[in-house]
Amino acid sequence: MEKNYSYPIDLEWSREDMVRVIDLWRAVELAYETGIDRELFLKKYQAFKQVIPAIGEEKKWDREFQQLSSYSLYKVVQEAKTSTKKNIHM
């Protein structure tokens, strides 16, 4: 998929927090496009949860990202949590 969208971020976040969130969006893209190491994805997700700990807020950001990219954070997280495979590919 050719990307022609911006990652959803909050401009009030610190630079470090923005990097954590963008890293997760990139990891979700990789899960769909080429595959990603499951443990690496889960580490990036945990870093994301330090920025966005509330599930309601996570869902809001996931919806925004999905509208922009058609990729679902929720689906990748579920696959990463339930799969026993080393790599996940959606």
Side-chain angles (χ1 to χ4, degrees), residues 62-80:
D62 181 24
R63 280 191 304 271
E64 190 171 334
F65 182 66
Q66 193 168 359
Q67 288 175 348
L68 295 169
S69 67
S70 77
Y71 299 148
S72 169
L73 168 62
Y74 175 79
K75 289 179 182 178
V76 179
V77 169
Q78 291 306 306
E79 179 68 18

Side-chain angles (χ1 to χ4, degrees), residues 9 12 15 28 30 36 54 56 72 80 84 90:
I9 58 170
E12 293 185 16
R15 181 177 173 91
V28 171
L30 283 173
I36 187 169
S72 169
T84 56
M90 304 301 290

Side-chain angles (χ1 to χ4, degrees), residues 31 34-40 79-80 83-90:
T34 61
I36 187 169
D37 180 85
R38 188 175 67 83
E39 291 299 322
L40 176 62
E79 179 68 18
S83 177
T84 56
K85 297 176 184 175
K86 179 172 173 35
N87 291 304
I88 53 175
H89 190 270
M90 304 301 290

